[in-house]
Amino acid sequence: MNAVTLIATAAMGLESIVADEVRDLGYTDLRVENGKVIFEADPSGIARTNLWLRTADRVKLLVGEFKATSFEELFEQTKALPWTNYISKDAEFPVIGKSVKSTLYSVPDCQAIVKKAVVESLKQSHKIEWFEENGPLQRIEVAILKDIVTLTIDTSGTGLHKRGYRYLHNEAPLKETLAAAMIKLTNWNADKPFVDPFCGSGTLPIEAAMIGQNIAPGVNREFAFEHWDWYKKEWFDFALQEAEDLAKYDQPLNILGSDIDHKMIELATNNATEAGFPDQINFKQMQAKDFTTKDEYGVVVGNPPYGERLNEKGYVENLYRELGRTFRPLETWSIYFITSNEHFEKLYGAKATKKRKLYNGNIRTDFYQFWGKRPPKK
C-alpha cells in the first residue's frame, strides 16, 4: 500500500490550525473544508497524525466518495469499494452515519444498507458467509452531504482529545484539543513564562508543557489502527521513534497554573504527574487578582467562568473587572481569555487587539487577545 487519503476532523473554527499542524508534519497535498482537513499520506501517516495532531478530533481513513440519490446506488457503489484491503475477517465493523441536505435522509436506513453492502463485499473477498465480528474495531462512517456520500474508517478509536493523563477533572473541563488550539493561537514558546489563572484540572498548563517540550500528545494512549491486521507494526514503531527523537525533555519550562480552589490544585498536580510533568509545572492556590510577576515578558491564557447561570452574573462581572485591573498594566505581556460573555471587553476595560470565534463544546465563545509589546530584536 503506497498511499492513503486521510481526513482529520476538527471543531468549528479550528480547521486552519489543524491544517497548519498537518503541513508541519510534511503533508502539503491537502484541502480544508468545514470541520475537516483532507490530505494524502503514506500508511505511516496514520500513526504520525494520530500521535502528533494536537487540535484535531479524529483521523479517518477515506475508503470512497460518490454521489447517490437512491438506496440502490448507495448499496452498489459501497459494495464496489475495496473493503477487503482494510477490514479483516474477524473485525468488528459497526456503521454510524449522518445525512445533511440529501435525498437519502434516513440515517438508520443508510447505515443498514452500507453495512449490508460491506458484508456482501467481504463475503466475496474472504470467501466466508458469516462474520463473528469479535476482532479489532474498525468503525465505518457513512456521511452524506448534498447527495455526496463519504465512507471512512475511524483510525483513532477514542477521540484524540483523550491524551491519557486526565483521569479526573472538574465539572466543566476544557477539552484538550481546544486548550492546545488556544495556546497555538498565542504563538507562545518555552522561552517565555506561561500563566493560567483559572487552571481547574490543569489542562492548559499541561498542554503548554507538551508544546514547550515538543512532546507528541498521543504517545501515552492507544489507537484503533494499532490492532488492525493490515497495519504494519513497523509503521507505528517508526512514528513512535520519531516522536521520541523530536521530544525536548530537557527544555526548561516556566509554567504557572493557579486556581482559587485548593481541590483543583491537587487535581491539576496529579494530572500533571500522570502526564509526565511532576516538577516542571508550578501549581498554586491563588485568586487571579493576586497575580504579580517580575518577568518582563510572558503569556497569560485563561478560561474564566462565563456567568451563564443567573446567580453567577454579578460575581463574574466583578471578576472580569478585577482581571482588567490585574492584567491591563502588564503592557509587555500578551493576555488571552476565552468566554461566552459578550460584555467581556467592557468589563475588562480594554478593547481586544483581536478576537476569534471558538466553540467550547456547544457553547459559542470568543477568544479575546490582548497583544503586549514585543521584546526588542536581539
Side-chain angles (χ1 to χ4, degrees):
M1 188 176 295
N2 297 321
V4 290
T5 301
L6 301 177
I7 301 174
T9 62
M12 193 180 303
L14 300 187
E15 295 93 342
S16 63
I17 303 174
V18 173
D20 286 342
E21 288 195 278
V22 171
R23 289 189 191 96
D24 287 344
L25 288 171
Y27 306 115
T28 55
D29 183 11
L30 59 82
R31 70 180 191 269
V32 182
E33 298 181 2
N34 285 338
K36 59 187 175 182
V37 178
I38 305 163
F39 57 100
E40 303 297 317
D42 58 37
S44 70
I46 294 174
R48 294 183 72 231
T49 51
N50 273 288
L51 283 172
W52 280 103
L53 293 182
R54 301 180 192 278
T55 59
D57 290 331
R58 291 181 178 278
V59 177
K60 299 176 181 179
L61 171 66
L62 179 65
V63 181
E65 197 168 59
F66 51 81
K67 184 175 182 179
T69 55
S70 70
F71 289 139
E72 183 179 359
E73 285 181 320
L74 177 62
F75 178 85
E76 292 298 337
Q77 293 191 77
T78 298
K79 183 183 174 185
L81 293 173
W83 294 104
T84 188
N85 289 351
Y86 307 111
I87 297 180
S88 56
K89 292 180 181 181
D90 63 340
E92 178 187 358
F93 53 102
V95 179
I96 61 171
K98 57 186 177 183
S99 179
V100 179
K101 298 179 181 178
S102 297
T103 306
L104 302 177
Y105 59 84
S106 172
V107 173
D109 287 338
C110 292
Q111 290 174 202
I113 287 165
V114 166
K115 178 75 174 187
K116 184 178 179 182
V118 174
V119 167
E120 289 303 313
S121 175
L122 294 176
K123 276 183 180 180
Q124 293 178 6
S125 303
H126 292 311
K127 309 299 182 187
I128 57 175
E129 288 297 314
W130 179 256
F131 295 89
E132 295 288 346
E133 295 197 48
N134 54 6
L137 178 65
Q138 296 184 279
R139 188 178 65 185
I140 298 168
E141 181 182 64
V142 49
I144 310 177
L145 175 63
K146 297 179 181 178
D147 295 334
I148 301 299
V149 179
T150 303
L151 288 160
T152 58
I153 302 174
D154 173 40
T155 72
S156 302
T158 307
L160 293 181
H161 70 284
K162 296 284 190 181
R163 315 289 206 216
Y165 64 75
R166 197 171 69 176
Y167 294 106
L168 299 171
H169 52 74
N170 52 330
E171 287 184 6
L174 192 67
K175 212 171 181 181
E176 293 89 333
T177 43
L178 176 59
M182 289 164 58
I183 298 165
K184 287 271 190 180
L185 287 169
T186 72
N187 291 319
W188 172 80
N189 62 64
D191 294 333
K192 291 183 287 188
F194 180 95
V195 175
D196 174 10
F198 303 95
C199 71
S201 56
T203 307
L204 276 164
I206 294 169
E207 291 296 318
M210 287 198 289
I211 290 171
Q213 293 192 342
N214 200 37
I215 295 172
V219 292
N220 291 320
R221 54 156 288 169
E222 286 191 355
F223 302 99
F225 71 82
E226 292 180 58
H227 308 288
W228 296 356
D229 286 358
W230 66 269
Y231 199 81
K232 295 180 182 178
K233 185 175 179 294
E234 65 197 59
W235 294 333
F236 190 34
D237 288 344
F238 165 79
L240 285 171
Q241 187 60 53
E242 178 189 42
E244 180 68 21
D245 293 342
L246 293 173
K248 301 174 182 177
Y249 298 116
D250 296 329
Q251 170 65 50
L253 299 171
N254 184 352
I255 298 175
L256 169 67
S258 66
D259 200 285
I260 194 173
D261 187 345
H262 72 91
K263 292 181 180 177
M264 289 297 103
I265 296 303
E266 183 179 342
L267 182 58
T269 302
N270 290 337
N271 285 339
T273 300
E274 195 67 42
F277 304 105
D279 305 308
Q280 294 90 334
I281 304 173
N282 181 26
F283 290 105
K284 183 177 181 181
Q285 183 186 1
M286 182 177 69
Q287 295 185 72
K289 68 178 182 179
D290 294 332
F291 173 76
T292 59
T293 182
K294 293 181 180 179
D295 291 306
E296 188 174 3
Y297 297 95
V299 170
V300 174
V301 185
N303 177 36
Y306 300 169
E308 301 227 326
R309 299 191 185 101
L310 286 175
N311 62 344
E312 293 179 342
K313 185 178 178 182
Y315 162 74
V316 165
E317 289 181 350
N318 185 57
L319 174 65
Y320 290 172
R321 292 188 188 98
E322 289 176 345
L323 290 178
R325 289 192 288 269
T326 301
F327 293 106
R328 274 202 324 271
L330 303 178
E331 294 183 353
T332 56
W333 280 59
S334 292
I335 315 296
Y336 302 81
F337 288 114
I338 187 173
T339 176
S340 63
N341 193 304
E342 296 176 359
H343 306 293
F344 179 80
E345 288 169 305
K346 181 179 178 182
L347 295 164
Y348 185 80
K351 185 171 178 59
T353 312
K354 186 178 181 180
K355 64 179 183 178
R356 180 170 180 145
K357 182 171 69 174
L358 297 174
Y359 281 84
N360 185 358
N362 294 323
I363 303 173
R364 184 209 178 280
T365 64
D366 283 300
F367 190 45
Y368 293 92
Q369 307 171 44
F370 302 88
W371 298 349
K373 295 178 182 177
R374 292 187 176 185
K377 290 184 178 179
K378 294 180 182 179

